[in-house]
Amino acid sequence: MRRRQIADAARTIAVKYGSEHMTVRRIAKDIGVSEGALYRHFKSKRDILSLMVERIEEDLVGDIEKGSAAASTPLGVLDSSLRNHVSAIQQRRGVSFQVIAEIISLGDKKLSRQSSEAVNAYTGRIRDILCAGIDAGEIRKDLDPEKAAILIAAALQGLVSRWALGNYDFDLEKEYLSAWLLLREAIVCRE
């Protein structure tokens, strides 16, 4: 039994039934092992959530790395990275946001810190792309890259929350595109 298999099962349960149904018993049942076997790898649901946060960070950074490989300019990298991220969110039904919400509701300081570090790594990568865009003359020089990165991530989170709360009743990628075009216009250099 691999840790990745356990994390994938937990992710599937969170998507299908909600994170409140993501229990050690349910995960063990879904992958066909005893709870005891699962407890050999994880002490608790919190440990599983910690692994899921690691996977979330890998996914977020991976989306940016894919964007970097697909574009040659900083603005192109940002556009491609965000598109990859939204596409992945749509495929995974926003499970990353569900996991973070579960962690917030638990009030576990260690998990909260780990989640915060994952989000900070993501916004830090966005900030770095924005800085490169400023240096390349594509993005306004008066833009605060740190605040802009947070704003971009927050706008994306708000859109995904609306989508999930609305029972996934609109095309996330289409809605993202119109929001991104608005944000893009606010940051692009006009000189």
Side-chain angles (χ1 to χ4, degrees):
M1 177 172 31
R2 298 184 330 247
R3 293 171 59 87
R4 189 177 251 334
Q5 180 186 18
I6 295 166
D8 289 344
R11 181 181 277 186
T12 299
I13 291 166
V15 168
K16 283 186 176 179
Y17 308 107
S19 59
E20 67 276 7
H21 295 282
M22 190 180 59
T23 63
V24 171
R25 175 177 290 163
R26 181 70 181 257
I27 294 166
K29 179 182 174 201
D30 279 18
I31 61 175
V33 300
S34 69
E35 285 182 62
L38 199 63
Y39 279 117
R40 282 194 285 272
H41 295 274
F42 299 95
K43 295 176 188 171
S44 66
K45 180 180 177 179
R46 283 183 167 86
D47 289 344
I48 295 169
L49 286 169
S50 178
L51 176 65
M52 292 181 78
V53 171
E54 288 173 22
R55 295 277 314 275
I56 289 167
E57 185 172 353
E58 289 170 12
D59 291 342
L60 291 171
V61 172
D63 293 337
I64 291 176
E65 288 171 0
K66 287 178 200 167
S68 296
S72 60
T73 65
L75 205 50
V77 168
L78 184 59
D79 181 48
S80 182
S81 297
L82 293 174
R83 282 178 192 256
N84 286 333
H85 186 64
V86 169
S87 177
I89 289 170
Q90 188 155 319
Q91 290 171 6
R92 293 186 298 255
R93 289 288 203 179
V95 72
S96 300
F97 293 98
Q98 291 177 23
V99 170
I100 300 293
E102 176 76 8
I103 288 169
I104 291 168
S105 73
L106 286 174
D108 183 285
K109 290 182 181 187
K110 184 177 177 185
L111 282 174
S112 293
R113 185 174 43 256
Q114 182 185 5
S115 299
S116 177
E117 289 169 1
V119 170
N120 288 340
Y122 178 65
T123 56
R125 296 293 290 269
I126 294 172
R127 179 203 59 230
D128 294 346
I129 296 167
L130 292 169
C131 287
I134 291 168
D135 292 343
E138 289 185 306
I139 295 176
R140 292 178 16 208
K141 293 195 182 314
D142 64 336
L143 185 80
D144 181 330
E146 184 75 34
K147 288 185 176 89
I150 291 167
L151 180 62
I152 289 167
L156 185 56
Q157 181 178 353
L159 182 61
V160 172
S161 294
R162 222 181 92 233
W163 175 65
L165 291 170
N167 201 31
Y168 315 104
D169 65 349
F170 61 85
D171 183 330
L172 181 62
E173 290 184 66
K174 183 178 177 184
E175 287 291 314
Y176 151 76
L177 184 57
S178 62
W180 168 239
L181 290 175
L182 179 68
L183 283 171
R184 190 179 190 281
E185 283 301 310
I187 66 170
V188 72
C189 185
R190 297 277 178 225
E191 295 173 8

